[in-house]
Amino acid sequence: MSSYYDIDSILTDAQKVPCTFELDVPGLGYVDGNAGGDVKKGSQLSLPLWLCTLLAVQRLPNPIVNLDIPASLAPRVLNALKADPRTVDLRAQAPHFYELAARVLDLFEEDEIVDVLNETFKKRAAEIADHAHNTQGALGEGVDFLRGLDEMERQLFRSAHDSSKAMRVWMGETKNKL
């Protein structure tokens, strides 16, 4: 669980996700741009993740909304990730792709999506490490790949790059002492 003050968590919670209202809600039309109106049963809206989650877990006789799988986790994207995860621009899907997926999958039991995302992260992490340790690759053909990293992957790249740089400095100092 992340900190209350974690900016990445705040930005993840602010991402809009689709949901379907399961009952009429009077006076809530402003979330759909209909000030003073009602939200009708069956209305599909994109609301911030934090609000959809709250409304989806709220139990009256029935849930207020059903949270739908976001487009960033749609079958089209999952098929592309299965084919070659290194070619998918995750940042275009969602800037905080993995955090959004983790939050949404807390509410769904989708083992296939979890497996696809695990494999995706493993394959992309290896590629990220390669680019972080090989600066020529990061400057050449790897630029498009690096642009498509989500925030978690960017942090991984920074950490791997900084550790590689520190290792080279340490090796240089050790050589000079010998």
Side-chain angles (χ1 to χ4, degrees):
M1 192 73 192
S2 57
S3 165
Y4 176 78
Y5 299 105
D6 181 27
I7 190 69
D8 290 324
S9 293
I10 294 168
L11 292 172
T12 300
D13 283 342
Q15 291 186 75
K16 296 208 175 191
V17 294
C19 60
T20 305
F21 278 80
E22 295 300 314
L23 48 94
D24 292 336
V25 183
L28 196 63
Y30 63 88
V31 298
D32 191 23
N34 182 12
D38 301 339
V39 173
K40 302 288 184 199
K41 179 179 181 176
S43 297
Q44 294 183 331
L45 299 175
S46 289
L47 299 174
L49 178 61
W50 67 268
L51 182 57
C52 277
T53 303
L54 262 165
L55 295 174
V57 299
Q58 184 69 261
R59 298 286 179 203
L60 299 170
N62 295 319
I64 297 172
V65 301
N66 276 333
L67 182 64
D68 302 324
I69 297 285
S72 58
L73 297 174
R76 176 185 56 80
V77 175
L78 295 177
N79 288 336
L81 290 172
K82 286 179 197 174
D84 188 1
R86 295 168 295 178
T87 61
V88 179
D89 183 352
L90 293 185
R91 188 166 195 76
Q93 300 303 319
H96 295 85
F97 179 81
Y98 290 110
E99 289 186 50
L100 176 65
R103 293 285 314 277
V104 168
L105 291 173
D106 280 344
L107 302 172
F108 292 97
E109 291 184 24
E110 294 285 341
D111 293 334
E112 180 190 357
I113 295 176
V114 171
D115 293 340
V116 170
L117 293 178
N118 279 333
E119 285 303 309
T120 296
F121 188 77
K122 288 177 193 175
K123 290 177 181 174
R124 289 175 66 95
E127 186 82 9
I128 290 167
D130 184 41
H131 286 294
H133 294 292
N134 178 6
T135 55
Q136 297 304 322
L139 298 174
E141 71 276 353
V143 172
D144 290 334
F145 174 73
L146 294 175
R147 280 191 191 123
L149 300 180
D150 90 317
E151 285 302 316
M152 183 183 296
E153 291 174 330
R154 285 178 180 221
Q155 290 174 0
L156 178 64
F157 176 80
R158 278 188 220 105
S159 295
H161 179 69
D162 291 347
S163 68
S164 175
K165 190 169 137 183
M167 183 67 168
R168 282 193 296 273
V169 168
W170 179 79
M171 293 294 284
E173 290 173 359
T174 304
K175 262 188 203 177
N176 291 340
K177 289 182 182 180
L178 297 176

